[in-house]
Each structure stands twice: as C-alpha cells, then as structure tokens.
Amino acid sequence: MRKKLNLSQLDFGKEISVSRSQVALLEKSRRTVNDRHIRLISSTFSVNPVWLRAGEGNMFITQEDVETRQKDEKEIIDFYNQLIPEVRVFARNVLKNLADLNGKILKK
C-alpha cells in the first residue's frame, strides 16, 4: 500500500507519527499493526480498514463505500431511536460484544 502511494518509509512514517524503522518492522511483520495504526492509516490515506486487517475488499475507500456506510449508519441510528431505553441498553451491549468478537476474529 505504501509503495502504491509512492511514499518512502520515512515519509509514510511521518504521516502516521512512527519512525522509518518502525514502518520497516511493520512491513516485515516483526511488529504488529495495532488499532491505532489502522485508524491513522485509514483516515490519513483513505485506506479500507478491512483490507488493512484482513486483506479483503478494495485497498482504498471509494465514494460508493462512503455512501453505503452513511446509509447503513443512518438505518442503524433510526432503528436505535425507535427502541425504549431498556432495550437500548441491551442493543449497546450486543453491539459491544459483536465488536469484541469481530476484533478477535480479525486477529486470527
């Protein structure tokens, strides 16, 4: 991905606040790419976080991806707003558990 963006390890590292040597270690899989790296790379370079974690989907976020995500988020918020307070607590707990499970799956 870094090479596709025509960036040196030094320039790439500066953009995400890590050293050139840290970038080299990440690329050689001698260091683990953590959630902070994923967020920074994704937001700085419009890289698909699913691609970064699992190598699936498009490398870069497209306008269609953004529009689909916005539509999904609006739909989820609309459903949530229809819930009574007690069910909202349950829904938040379910989503948190799903996010935790998702993180464990992606780490495998």
Side-chain angles (χ1 to χ4, degrees), residues 89-101:
V89 171
F90 178 77
R92 284 194 306 271
N93 288 333
V94 169
L95 287 172
K96 182 189 179 311
N97 289 335
L98 287 172
D100 291 345
L101 177 61

Side-chain angles (χ1 to χ4, degrees), residues 1-15:
M1 181 251 335
R2 174 185 61 78
K3 290 179 181 177
K4 190 158 186 101
L5 292 167
N6 292 319
L7 292 171
S8 67
Q9 288 179 336
L10 180 64
D11 291 336
F12 182 80
K14 284 180 183 177
E15 291 292 328

Side-chain angles (χ1 to χ4, degrees), residues 7 16 18 30 39 46 57 69 97:
L7 292 171
I16 61 167
V18 299
R30 292 188 180 155
R39 283 191 304 275
S46 296
R69 182 175 178 157
N97 289 335

Side-chain angles (χ1 to χ4, degrees), residues 19-35:
S19 68
R20 187 213 55 80
S21 60
Q22 178 81 6
V23 172
L25 292 171
L26 291 169
E27 289 181 351
K28 293 177 183 177
S29 297
R30 292 188 180 155
R31 291 280 161 88
T32 304
V33 177
N34 61 38
D35 288 338

